[in-house]
Amino acid sequence: MTTLLSVEHLSKVFTLGGGLFKPGRELVALNDISLTVEAGETLAIVGESGCGKTTLGRCIIKAQPVSEGKVFYHPKDGQKVELTELDKRAIKPWRRDIRMIFQDPMSSLNPNMRVFDLVAEPLRVHRICKGRELEDRVISTLGKVGIPADAIGRYPHAFSGGQRQRIGIARALVLDPKLVIADEAVSALDVSIQAQVLNLLDDLKREFGLTYIFISHDLGVVNYIADRVMVMYLGHVVETAPTEQLFERPRHPYSEMLLEALPIADPTRRKGQNKELRGEIPYLGNRPIGCPFHTRCRYAQDKCRAEKPALRPINGTAQMAACHFAETLELKGAYEAPQKVFA
Ligand code: SF4
């Protein structure tokens, strides 16, 4: 396997309020995150809203500065570029390789631009081609995402939500990227349209040898597309595992809780799913001492309220969890769930 992207000890702190003589309040959105993304894989980052997954995506593409830590892009074997130290100009060439797809195509697409110009814009910004070549490239990219050539003169409002997301994907794809970060890319779509867009992303991955970071709050969607899952809670990584392993035997109680909340319509296939998520996410500015999840964890003990568990490999496998009792807890999986979500 070849590493395409690596993140080392990344933290992001926002400071709210404050004044001349009064310090602001610090909100730690990301706490010492390290990860690697291998070329050709789909790594999903999951967690409830506010867990830091979108902030992490934005820090990776440098849409937001990091407070601490480093992000490296590995364009080829043996080459390692530290994105976090590059200025706006120096990072521009690498922005071709790492593209982002956003949740809400209606707000990420300029409503006053025609589809042709929306997809041509990245080519023009990066001065890749012009004239006939640009036209051919735009039309061919739109064709790959299922938007016909005769639609290029239309505006975003003339398309359905699913078609608009396809245009967003074309904008990312037209630069021939290596890594695509999809931030809740199907969350705003109906379930049937979600399946179409996920299939499209999967096809494109194979055709163009893409690598994805797929940010989502929905484990059903994640199971459909991801090779590996990273679960985040309150700005911490609490578990990482190959997708199958996570669904079969989660090692962190938060992962178990997310799996229990998976919506499964067919009662014969349920393994205790459809439950509500327990408790409230603590305010970021008032994070619990010890294990960040202890205020919602049904297995919490005194040790959990005093000592923060480290993220570590479990029983020598590729699964890692940050729970004091990860090796011994018998947590419930939900392996039957996924197919049903998109049936
Ligand atoms: Fe729950 Fe304790 Fe494990 Fe945290 S360390 S997840 S509180 S059992």
Side-chain angles (χ1 to χ4, degrees):
M1 283 234 184
T2 318
T3 300
L4 189 64
L5 185 100
S6 54
V7 172
E8 292 179 7
H9 305 292
L10 191 151
S11 295
K12 175 70 189 173
V13 181
F14 293 102
T15 306
L16 296 187
L20 205 49
F21 302 107
K22 198 176 137 207
R25 197 181 175 93
E26 289 203 333
L27 301 185
V28 183
L30 296 173
N31 195 308
D32 195 18
I33 308 281
S34 295
L35 63 93
T36 55
V37 183
E38 304 300 330
E41 80 166 337
T42 297
L43 171 71
I45 303 179
V46 295
E48 290 164 279
S49 134
C51 71
K53 54 193 190 302
T54 291
T55 306
L56 177 56
R58 291 175 59 79
C59 285
I60 289 173
I61 60 160
K62 260 199 121 180
Q64 234 157 32
V66 305
S67 305
E68 267 178 58
K70 294 173 178 180
V71 177
F72 295 100
Y73 174 55
H74 309 245
K76 51 184 148 167
D77 240 359
Q79 194 185 357
K80 190 172 170 180
V81 181
E82 187 187 336
L83 299 180
T84 25
E85 66 163 18
L86 300 181
D87 62 20
K88 222 172 154 186
R89 198 179 162 149
I91 202 170
K92 199 175 165 194
W94 306 113
R95 286 233 158 102
R96 286 172 56 174
D97 284 9
I98 307 176
R99 307 296 299 167
M100 195 140 180
I101 302 170
F102 300 93
Q103 172 177 3
D104 180 3
M106 201 53 201
S107 56
S108 62
L109 300 178
N110 184 336
N112 301 315
M113 285 172 77
R114 293 187 168 91
V115 169
F116 179 85
D117 293 311
L118 282 166
V119 178
E121 191 181 36
L123 292 172
R124 289 174 176 145
V125 167
H126 288 271
R127 296 171 198 253
I128 289 170
C129 53
K130 51 188 181 180
R132 190 61 205 250
E133 196 187 338
L134 179 136
E135 208 172 294
D136 289 347
R137 193 148 159 182
V138 169
I139 289 171
S140 133
T141 308
L142 281 167
K144 281 172 183 138
V145 301
I147 301 289
D150 60 8
I152 57 171
R154 288 155 67 188
Y155 291 91
H157 65 80
F159 294 88
S160 68
Q163 286 171 323
R164 280 197 292 266
Q165 195 52 294
R166 285 170 189 265
I167 296 164
I169 295 169
R171 265 171 71 85
L173 215 66
V174 75
L175 288 179
D176 205 6
K178 301 240 170 44
L179 173 67
V180 174
I181 303 178
D183 185 7
E184 298 282 9
V186 297
S187 310
L189 308 173
D190 290 344
V191 173
S192 59
I193 309 295
Q194 278 187 2
Q196 289 172 16
V197 174
L198 288 171
N199 283 334
L200 172 68
L201 287 171
D202 213 28
D203 292 346
L204 293 171
K205 181 186 167 186
R206 260 178 270 121
E207 187 175 347
F208 298 102
L210 296 170
T211 301
Y212 290 140
I213 295 180
F214 195 86
I215 297 170
S216 177
H217 69 281
D218 185 339
L219 270 177
V221 164
V222 159
N223 185 74
Y224 195 77
I225 195 157
D227 302 305
R228 209 156 54 89
V229 185
M230 183 172 112
V231 184
M232 288 186 68
Y233 184 74
L234 271 188
H236 296 80
V237 177
V238 297
E239 182 161 3
T240 62
T243 310
E244 249 183 59
Q245 219 165 320
L246 186 95
F247 274 75
E248 202 158 333
R249 173 123 195 235
R251 293 291 189 161
H252 194 282
Y254 180 57
S255 311
E256 182 192 52
M257 187 169 98
L258 292 178
L259 289 170
E260 282 179 345
L262 266 173
I264 311 294
D266 179 351
T268 61
R269 293 174 62 90
R270 263 184 230 157
K271 276 181 81 181
Q273 287 98 341
N274 281 9
K275 288 189 182 152
E276 298 261 310
L277 292 174
R278 273 188 321 278
E280 302 260 312
I281 308 174
Y283 174 56
L284 268 185
N286 191 18
R287 57 180 57 236
I289 306 221
C291 172
F293 187 56
H294 82 72
T295 56
R296 300 171 77 189
C297 181
R298 60 160 80 111
Y299 310 102
Q301 299 182 29
D302 287 348
K303 185 180 182 182
C304 310
R305 287 177 271 273
E307 230 179 90
K308 190 177 155 195
L311 183 70
R312 61 186 189 284
I314 305 302
N315 301 333
T317 66
Q319 194 162 14
M320 296 177 84
C323 168
H324 292 308
F325 311 106
E327 287 83 356
T328 49
L329 284 174
E330 288 287 334
L331 304 179
K332 258 194 276 147
Y335 204 68
E336 295 160 273
Q339 299 90 324
K340 208 61 201 168
V341 174
F342 290 107

Short mmCIF file of all heavy atoms in Angstrom, two decimals, residues 7 10 12 14 28-31 33 35 43-61 64 100-101 103 181-185 187 213-219 222 229-237 254 258 277 281 284:
data_model
loop_
_atom_site.label_atom_id
_atom_site.label_comp_id
_atom_site.label_asym_id
_atom_site.label_seq_id
_atom_site.Cartn_x
_atom_site.Cartn_y
_atom_site.Cartn_z
N VAL A 7 -1.75 12.69 8.35
CA VAL A 7 -2.01 13.79 9.28
C VAL A 7 -1.33 13.41 10.59
O VAL A 7 -1.48 12.30 11.07
CB VAL A 7 -3.53 13.94 9.49
CG1 VAL A 7 -3.84 14.93 10.60
CG2 VAL A 7 -4.22 14.37 8.19
N LEU A 10 -2.73 16.55 14.71
CA LEU A 10 -3.41 17.80 14.34
C LEU A 10 -4.42 18.23 15.41
O LEU A 10 -5.23 17.43 15.86
CB LEU A 10 -4.11 17.58 12.99
CG LEU A 10 -4.68 18.80 12.29
CD1 LEU A 10 -4.68 18.58 10.79
CD2 LEU A 10 -6.08 19.11 12.74
N LYS A 12 -7.09 21.62 16.48
CA LYS A 12 -7.69 22.89 16.04
C LYS A 12 -8.46 23.49 17.21
O LYS A 12 -9.36 22.86 17.77
CB LYS A 12 -8.64 22.63 14.86
CG LYS A 12 -9.40 23.86 14.42
CD LYS A 12 -8.49 24.86 13.74
CE LYS A 12 -9.20 26.18 13.49
NZ LYS A 12 -8.30 27.23 12.99
N PHE A 14 -10.60 26.88 18.48
CA PHE A 14 -11.25 28.15 18.14
C PHE A 14 -11.33 28.98 19.42
O PHE A 14 -11.61 28.45 20.50
CB PHE A 14 -12.68 27.92 17.63
CG PHE A 14 -12.72 27.20 16.31
CD1 PHE A 14 -13.03 25.84 16.25
CD2 PHE A 14 -12.48 27.87 15.13
CE1 PHE A 14 -13.07 25.17 15.04
CE2 PHE A 14 -12.52 27.22 13.91
CZ PHE A 14 -12.82 25.86 13.86
N VAL A 28 -11.89 23.40 21.80
CA VAL A 28 -10.98 22.48 21.11
C VAL A 28 -11.81 21.62 20.16
O VAL A 28 -12.51 20.71 20.58
CB VAL A 28 -10.21 21.59 22.12
CG1 VAL A 28 -9.22 20.70 21.39
CG2 VAL A 28 -9.52 22.44 23.16
N ALA A 29 -11.75 21.96 18.87
CA ALA A 29 -12.57 21.23 17.89
C ALA A 29 -11.90 19.93 17.45
O ALA A 29 -12.58 18.95 17.13
CB ALA A 29 -12.82 22.11 16.68
N LEU A 30 -10.57 19.92 17.44
CA LEU A 30 -9.83 18.71 17.06
C LEU A 30 -8.69 18.52 18.04
O LEU A 30 -7.96 19.48 18.33
CB LEU A 30 -9.24 18.84 15.64
CG LEU A 30 -10.24 18.97 14.49
CD1 LEU A 30 -9.50 19.26 13.19
CD2 LEU A 30 -11.08 17.72 14.35
N ASN A 31 -8.54 17.30 18.53
CA ASN A 31 -7.58 17.05 19.59
C ASN A 31 -6.60 15.95 19.18
O ASN A 31 -6.95 14.78 19.18
CB ASN A 31 -8.37 16.62 20.84
CG ASN A 31 -7.53 16.69 22.08
OD1 ASN A 31 -6.44 16.14 22.12
ND2 ASN A 31 -8.04 17.36 23.09
N ILE A 33 -5.17 14.66 16.34
CA ILE A 33 -5.63 13.67 15.36
C ILE A 33 -4.47 13.23 14.47
O ILE A 33 -3.77 14.06 13.89
CB ILE A 33 -6.71 14.28 14.42
CG1 ILE A 33 -7.84 14.92 15.23
CG2 ILE A 33 -7.20 13.25 13.41
CD1 ILE A 33 -8.85 14.02 15.79
N LEU A 35 -3.71 10.36 11.29
CA LEU A 35 -4.31 9.36 10.39
C LEU A 35 -3.48 9.24 9.13
O LEU A 35 -2.70 10.12 8.80
CB LEU A 35 -5.76 9.72 10.04
CG LEU A 35 -6.02 11.00 9.26
CD1 LEU A 35 -6.08 10.74 7.75
CD2 LEU A 35 -7.35 11.61 9.68
N LEU A 43 -11.64 6.09 2.99
CA LEU A 43 -11.66 6.20 4.45
C LEU A 43 -12.87 7.04 4.84
O LEU A 43 -13.01 8.18 4.38
CB LEU A 43 -10.39 6.89 4.95
CG LEU A 43 -10.41 7.25 6.45
CD1 LEU A 43 -10.32 5.99 7.32
CD2 LEU A 43 -9.30 8.22 6.82
N ALA A 44 -13.75 6.48 5.64
CA ALA A 44 -14.90 7.26 6.11
C ALA A 44 -14.59 7.85 7.47
O ALA A 44 -13.98 7.19 8.31
CB ALA A 44 -16.12 6.37 6.20
N ILE A 45 -15.01 9.10 7.66
CA ILE A 45 -14.90 9.73 8.97
C ILE A 45 -16.33 9.96 9.46
O ILE A 45 -17.09 10.66 8.80
CB ILE A 45 -14.12 11.06 8.88
CG1 ILE A 45 -12.74 10.81 8.28
CG2 ILE A 45 -14.01 11.70 10.26
CD1 ILE A 45 -11.89 12.04 8.12
N VAL A 46 -16.68 9.31 10.57
CA VAL A 46 -18.07 9.38 11.02
C VAL A 46 -18.17 9.92 12.45
O VAL A 46 -17.22 9.85 13.22
CB VAL A 46 -18.79 8.00 10.99
CG1 VAL A 46 -18.92 7.48 9.61
CG2 VAL A 46 -18.13 7.00 11.89
N GLY A 47 -19.36 10.39 12.74
CA GLY A 47 -19.62 10.90 14.09
C GLY A 47 -20.80 11.85 14.00
O GLY A 47 -21.20 12.26 12.91
N GLU A 48 -21.37 12.17 15.17
CA GLU A 48 -22.50 13.10 15.18
C GLU A 48 -22.02 14.50 14.80
O GLU A 48 -20.83 14.79 14.84
CB GLU A 48 -23.10 13.15 16.59
CG GLU A 48 -23.80 11.89 17.00
CD GLU A 48 -24.02 11.86 18.50
OE1 GLU A 48 -23.08 11.53 19.23
OE2 GLU A 48 -25.14 12.19 18.92
N SER A 49 -22.99 15.35 14.53
CA SER A 49 -22.67 16.72 14.19
C SER A 49 -21.92 17.37 15.36
O SER A 49 -22.27 17.14 16.53
CB SER A 49 -23.99 17.39 13.83
OG SER A 49 -24.11 18.59 14.41
N GLY A 50 -20.88 18.12 15.05
CA GLY A 50 -20.09 18.76 16.11
C GLY A 50 -18.91 17.93 16.58
O GLY A 50 -18.17 18.36 17.46
N CYS A 51 -18.68 16.74 15.98
CA CYS A 51 -17.58 15.90 16.45
C CYS A 51 -16.23 16.34 15.87
O CYS A 51 -15.19 15.86 16.28
CB CYS A 51 -17.83 14.43 16.11
SG CYS A 51 -17.69 14.08 14.36
N GLY A 52 -16.27 17.24 14.88
CA GLY A 52 -15.04 17.77 14.32
C GLY A 52 -14.70 17.22 12.95
O GLY A 52 -13.68 17.58 12.36
N LYS A 53 -15.57 16.38 12.38
CA LYS A 53 -15.20 15.72 11.11
C LYS A 53 -15.10 16.72 9.94
O LYS A 53 -14.18 16.64 9.13
CB LYS A 53 -16.15 14.56 10.79
CG LYS A 53 -17.62 14.90 10.78
CD LYS A 53 -18.46 13.63 10.77
CE LYS A 53 -19.95 13.91 10.52
NZ LYS A 53 -20.59 14.80 11.47
N THR A 54 -16.02 17.69 9.89
CA THR A 54 -15.95 18.67 8.81
C THR A 54 -14.75 19.60 9.01
O THR A 54 -14.03 19.92 8.05
CB THR A 54 -17.26 19.49 8.75
OG1 THR A 54 -18.29 18.60 8.31
CG2 THR A 54 -17.18 20.65 7.77
N THR A 55 -14.50 19.99 10.27
CA THR A 55 -13.32 20.84 10.55
C THR A 55 -12.05 20.12 10.11
O THR A 55 -11.15 20.72 9.53
CB THR A 55 -13.25 21.16 12.06
OG1 THR A 55 -14.50 21.72 12.44
CG2 THR A 55 -12.14 22.12 12.38
N LEU A 56 -11.99 18.81 10.35
CA LEU A 56 -10.81 18.04 9.95
C LEU A 56 -10.64 18.09 8.42
O LEU A 56 -9.54 18.33 7.92
CB LEU A 56 -10.96 16.59 10.44
CG LEU A 56 -9.86 15.63 10.05
CD1 LEU A 56 -8.48 16.12 10.51
CD2 LEU A 56 -10.11 14.23 10.64
N GLY A 57 -11.74 17.88 7.68
CA GLY A 57 -11.68 17.95 6.21
C GLY A 57 -11.19 19.32 5.76
O GLY A 57 -10.35 19.44 4.87
N ARG A 58 -11.68 20.37 6.40
CA ARG A 58 -11.31 21.74 6.01
C ARG A 58 -9.85 22.02 6.36
O ARG A 58 -9.17 22.76 5.65
CB ARG A 58 -12.24 22.75 6.67
CG ARG A 58 -13.68 22.68 6.10
CD ARG A 58 -14.61 23.62 6.84
NE ARG A 58 -14.18 25.00 6.80
CZ ARG A 58 -14.34 25.83 5.78
NH1 ARG A 58 -14.96 25.40 4.71
NH2 ARG A 58 -13.90 27.07 5.82
N CYS A 59 -9.37 21.45 7.47
CA CYS A 59 -7.95 21.64 7.83
C CYS A 59 -7.06 20.91 6.82
O CYS A 59 -5.98 21.39 6.48
CB CYS A 59 -7.67 21.12 9.24
SG CYS A 59 -8.30 22.20 10.54
N ILE A 60 -7.52 19.75 6.35
CA ILE A 60 -6.70 18.98 5.40
C ILE A 60 -6.51 19.76 4.10
O ILE A 60 -5.42 19.83 3.56
CB ILE A 60 -7.32 17.59 5.14
CG1 ILE A 60 -7.16 16.70 6.38
CG2 ILE A 60 -6.69 16.92 3.91
CD1 ILE A 60 -7.88 15.37 6.31
N ILE A 61 -7.61 20.40 3.63
CA ILE A 61 -7.45 21.15 2.36
C ILE A 61 -6.98 22.58 2.61
O ILE A 61 -6.94 23.41 1.71
CB ILE A 61 -8.74 21.16 1.51
CG1 ILE A 61 -9.90 21.81 2.29
CG2 ILE A 61 -9.11 19.80 1.00
CD1 ILE A 61 -11.02 22.28 1.39
N GLN A 64 -8.95 25.97 6.43
CA GLN A 64 -8.86 26.50 7.78
C GLN A 64 -7.44 26.23 8.28
O GLN A 64 -6.92 25.14 8.05
CB GLN A 64 -9.83 25.73 8.67
CG GLN A 64 -10.77 26.62 9.41
CD GLN A 64 -12.02 25.88 9.83
OE1 GLN A 64 -11.98 24.71 10.10
NE2 GLN A 64 -13.09 26.61 9.88
N MET A 100 -12.70 18.83 -3.15
CA MET A 100 -13.73 18.60 -2.14
C MET A 100 -15.12 18.62 -2.78
O MET A 100 -15.38 19.41 -3.70
CB MET A 100 -13.62 19.69 -1.07
CG MET A 100 -14.37 19.37 0.18
SD MET A 100 -13.42 19.87 1.65
CE MET A 100 -14.55 19.35 2.92
N ILE A 101 -16.00 17.75 -2.31
CA ILE A 101 -17.41 17.77 -2.71
C ILE A 101 -18.19 18.13 -1.45
O ILE A 101 -17.96 17.56 -0.38
CB ILE A 101 -17.88 16.38 -3.20
CG1 ILE A 101 -17.04 15.91 -4.38
CG2 ILE A 101 -19.35 16.42 -3.59
CD1 ILE A 101 -17.30 14.46 -4.75
N GLN A 103 -21.76 19.18 0.95
CA GLN A 103 -23.07 18.59 1.26
C GLN A 103 -24.19 19.19 0.42
O GLN A 103 -25.00 18.47 -0.15
CB GLN A 103 -23.39 18.81 2.74
CG GLN A 103 -24.81 18.41 3.08
CD GLN A 103 -25.12 18.55 4.57
OE1 GLN A 103 -24.29 19.00 5.34
NE2 GLN A 103 -26.29 18.15 4.95
N ILE A 181 -12.31 14.65 -1.15
CA ILE A 181 -12.90 14.68 0.19
C ILE A 181 -14.38 15.02 0.02
O ILE A 181 -14.73 16.11 -0.46
CB ILE A 181 -12.21 15.73 1.09
CG1 ILE A 181 -10.71 15.44 1.17
CG2 ILE A 181 -12.84 15.75 2.49
CD1 ILE A 181 -9.89 16.42 1.98
N ALA A 182 -15.24 14.06 0.34
CA ALA A 182 -16.68 14.26 0.17
C ALA A 182 -17.28 14.52 1.54
O ALA A 182 -17.28 13.65 2.41
CB ALA A 182 -17.29 13.01 -0.46
N ASP A 183 -17.75 15.75 1.75
CA ASP A 183 -18.27 16.13 3.07
C ASP A 183 -19.79 16.02 3.07
O ASP A 183 -20.47 16.88 2.52
CB ASP A 183 -17.82 17.55 3.41
CG ASP A 183 -18.24 17.94 4.83
OD1 ASP A 183 -18.74 17.09 5.58
OD2 ASP A 183 -18.07 19.13 5.18
N GLU A 184 -20.33 14.99 3.70
CA GLU A 184 -21.76 14.74 3.76
C GLU A 184 -22.37 14.86 2.36
O GLU A 184 -23.42 15.47 2.16
CB GLU A 184 -22.45 15.73 4.72
CG GLU A 184 -22.00 15.65 6.15
CD GLU A 184 -22.62 14.48 6.94
OE1 GLU A 184 -23.27 13.63 6.32
OE2 GLU A 184 -22.40 14.42 8.17
N ALA A 185 -21.69 14.27 1.38
CA ALA A 185 -22.03 14.48 -0.03
C ALA A 185 -23.41 13.97 -0.42
O ALA A 185 -23.97 14.40 -1.43
CB ALA A 185 -20.97 13.83 -0.92
N SER A 187 -25.99 13.52 2.11
CA SER A 187 -26.92 13.70 3.25
C SER A 187 -28.17 14.47 2.88
O SER A 187 -29.23 14.24 3.47
CB SER A 187 -26.23 14.46 4.39
OG SER A 187 -25.03 13.88 4.67
N ILE A 213 -11.84 10.47 0.99
CA ILE A 213 -12.15 10.63 2.41
C ILE A 213 -13.63 10.99 2.43
O ILE A 213 -14.04 12.00 1.84
CB ILE A 213 -11.32 11.75 3.07
CG1 ILE A 213 -9.85 11.39 3.07
CG2 ILE A 213 -11.80 11.98 4.51
CD1 ILE A 213 -8.94 12.43 3.72
N PHE A 214 -14.42 10.13 3.04
CA PHE A 214 -15.87 10.28 2.97
C PHE A 214 -16.39 10.66 4.35
O PHE A 214 -16.41 9.83 5.27
CB PHE A 214 -16.46 8.94 2.50
CG PHE A 214 -17.87 9.05 2.04
CD1 PHE A 214 -18.17 9.40 0.73
CD2 PHE A 214 -18.91 8.82 2.91
CE1 PHE A 214 -19.48 9.52 0.30
CE2 PHE A 214 -20.21 8.93 2.50
CZ PHE A 214 -20.51 9.28 1.20
N ILE A 215 -16.78 11.92 4.51
CA ILE A 215 -17.22 12.42 5.82
C ILE A 215 -18.73 12.26 5.92
O ILE A 215 -19.47 12.72 5.03
CB ILE A 215 -16.82 13.90 5.97
CG1 ILE A 215 -15.30 14.04 5.94
CG2 ILE A 215 -17.41 14.51 7.25
CD1 ILE A 215 -14.80 15.47 5.83
N SER A 216 -19.21 11.60 6.96
CA SER A 216 -20.65 11.37 7.05
C SER A 216 -21.07 11.13 8.50
O SER A 216 -20.29 10.68 9.33
CB SER A 216 -21.01 10.14 6.21
OG SER A 216 -22.38 9.85 6.34
N HIS A 217 -22.34 11.44 8.79
CA HIS A 217 -22.87 11.10 10.12
C HIS A 217 -23.62 9.77 10.05
O HIS A 217 -24.06 9.26 11.06
CB HIS A 217 -23.83 12.20 10.60
CG HIS A 217 -25.09 12.23 9.79
ND1 HIS A 217 -25.16 12.81 8.54
CD2 HIS A 217 -26.30 11.70 10.04
CE1 HIS A 217 -26.38 12.64 8.07
NE2 HIS A 217 -27.09 11.97 8.94
N ASP A 218 -23.73 9.19 8.83
CA ASP A 218 -24.63 8.08 8.60
C ASP A 218 -23.85 6.78 8.35
O ASP A 218 -23.25 6.58 7.29
CB ASP A 218 -25.48 8.44 7.36
CG ASP A 218 -26.55 7.41 7.09
OD1 ASP A 218 -26.42 6.26 7.55
OD2 ASP A 218 -27.51 7.75 6.38
N LEU A 219 -23.85 5.90 9.34
CA LEU A 219 -23.08 4.66 9.21
C LEU A 219 -23.62 3.74 8.11
O LEU A 219 -22.88 2.94 7.55
CB LEU A 219 -23.08 3.90 10.54
CG LEU A 219 -21.94 4.23 11.49
CD1 LEU A 219 -22.11 3.48 12.79
CD2 LEU A 219 -20.59 3.89 10.88
N VAL A 222 -21.93 4.90 5.07
CA VAL A 222 -20.51 4.60 5.20
C VAL A 222 -20.23 3.13 4.87
O VAL A 222 -19.28 2.79 4.18
CB VAL A 222 -20.07 4.93 6.65
CG1 VAL A 222 -18.81 4.21 7.04
CG2 VAL A 222 -19.91 6.43 6.79
N VAL A 229 -13.09 2.80 8.47
CA VAL A 229 -13.88 3.82 9.15
C VAL A 229 -13.08 4.41 10.32
O VAL A 229 -12.41 3.67 11.05
CB VAL A 229 -15.20 3.23 9.72
CG1 VAL A 229 -16.08 4.33 10.31
CG2 VAL A 229 -15.97 2.48 8.64
N MET A 230 -13.19 5.72 10.46
CA MET A 230 -12.61 6.39 11.62
C MET A 230 -13.76 7.07 12.35
O MET A 230 -14.47 7.88 11.76
CB MET A 230 -11.58 7.41 11.14
CG MET A 230 -10.86 8.13 12.23
SD MET A 230 -9.52 9.13 11.52
CE MET A 230 -10.16 10.75 11.87
N VAL A 231 -13.97 6.70 13.61
CA VAL A 231 -15.10 7.25 14.37
C VAL A 231 -14.59 8.38 15.26
O VAL A 231 -13.60 8.20 15.99
CB VAL A 231 -15.76 6.16 15.25
CG1 VAL A 231 -16.99 6.71 15.96
CG2 VAL A 231 -16.13 4.94 14.41
N MET A 232 -15.26 9.53 15.18
CA MET A 232 -14.83 10.69 15.98
C MET A 232 -15.89 11.08 17.00
O MET A 232 -17.09 11.00 16.74
CB MET A 232 -14.55 11.88 15.07
CG MET A 232 -13.29 11.72 14.26
SD MET A 232 -12.91 13.22 13.33
CE MET A 232 -12.48 14.34 14.66
N TYR A 233 -15.43 11.52 18.14
CA TYR A 233 -16.33 12.02 19.17
C TYR A 233 -15.67 13.20 19.88
O TYR A 233 -14.54 13.08 20.34
CB TYR A 233 -16.66 10.91 20.19
CG TYR A 233 -17.67 11.35 21.21
CD1 TYR A 233 -19.02 11.47 20.86
CD2 TYR A 233 -17.31 11.67 22.51
CE1 TYR A 233 -19.97 11.90 21.79
CE2 TYR A 233 -18.25 12.09 23.44
CZ TYR A 233 -19.57 12.20 23.07
OH TYR A 233 -20.52 12.62 23.99
N LEU A 234 -16.36 14.32 19.92
CA LEU A 234 -15.86 15.53 20.59
C LEU A 234 -14.43 15.90 20.19
O LEU A 234 -13.61 16.22 21.05
CB LEU A 234 -15.91 15.35 22.11
CG LEU A 234 -17.18 15.74 22.86
CD1 LEU A 234 -16.93 15.67 24.37
CD2 LEU A 234 -17.66 17.12 22.50
N GLY A 235 -14.14 15.80 18.92
CA GLY A 235 -12.82 16.18 18.42
C GLY A 235 -11.73 15.14 18.62
O GLY A 235 -10.56 15.40 18.35
N HIS A 236 -12.09 13.95 19.12
CA HIS A 236 -11.11 12.86 19.31
C HIS A 236 -11.42 11.73 18.34
O HIS A 236 -12.59 11.49 18.02
CB HIS A 236 -11.21 12.25 20.72
CG HIS A 236 -10.86 13.20 21.81
ND1 HIS A 236 -11.74 14.14 22.27
CD2 HIS A 236 -9.73 13.35 22.53
CE1 HIS A 236 -11.15 14.83 23.24
NE2 HIS A 236 -9.94 14.37 23.41
N VAL A 237 -10.38 10.98 17.96
CA VAL A 237 -10.62 9.72 17.27
C VAL A 237 -10.85 8.68 18.35
O VAL A 237 -9.99 8.49 19.22
CB VAL A 237 -9.40 9.31 16.41
CG1 VAL A 237 -9.65 7.97 15.75
CG2 VAL A 237 -9.13 10.37 15.36
N TYR A 254 -19.03 4.10 21.87
CA TYR A 254 -19.68 5.11 21.02
C TYR A 254 -20.01 4.52 19.64
O TYR A 254 -21.07 4.77 19.09
CB TYR A 254 -18.77 6.35 20.87
CG TYR A 254 -19.38 7.42 20.01
CD1 TYR A 254 -20.63 7.96 20.33
CD2 TYR A 254 -18.73 7.90 18.88
CE1 TYR A 254 -21.20 8.95 19.53
CE2 TYR A 254 -19.29 8.88 18.09
CZ TYR A 254 -20.53 9.41 18.42
OH TYR A 254 -21.10 10.37 17.62
N LEU A 258 -23.70 4.23 17.86
CA LEU A 258 -24.03 4.67 16.50
C LEU A 258 -24.65 3.52 15.70
O LEU A 258 -25.61 3.70 14.95
CB LEU A 258 -22.79 5.18 15.76
CG LEU A 258 -22.16 6.48 16.26
CD1 LEU A 258 -20.91 6.80 15.44
CD2 LEU A 258 -23.13 7.65 16.18
N LEU A 277 -30.08 7.78 19.87
CA LEU A 277 -28.76 8.02 20.47
C LEU A 277 -28.97 8.50 21.90
O LEU A 277 -29.82 9.35 22.14
CB LEU A 277 -28.01 9.07 19.64
CG LEU A 277 -27.60 8.64 18.24
CD1 LEU A 277 -27.01 9.80 17.47
CD2 LEU A 277 -26.59 7.51 18.30
N ILE A 281 -24.56 15.54 23.51
CA ILE A 281 -23.12 15.80 23.32
C ILE A 281 -22.73 16.97 24.23
O ILE A 281 -23.39 18.01 24.19
CB ILE A 281 -22.82 16.20 21.86
CG1 ILE A 281 -23.40 15.17 20.90
CG2 ILE A 281 -21.34 16.40 21.64
CD1 ILE A 281 -23.27 15.55 19.45
N LEU A 284 -18.54 21.86 23.66
CA LEU A 284 -17.10 21.74 23.38
C LEU A 284 -16.23 22.51 24.38
O LEU A 284 -15.12 22.11 24.69
CB LEU A 284 -16.81 22.28 21.98
CG LEU A 284 -16.82 21.31 20.79
CD1 LEU A 284 -16.40 22.04 19.54
CD2 LEU A 284 -15.90 20.12 21.04
#
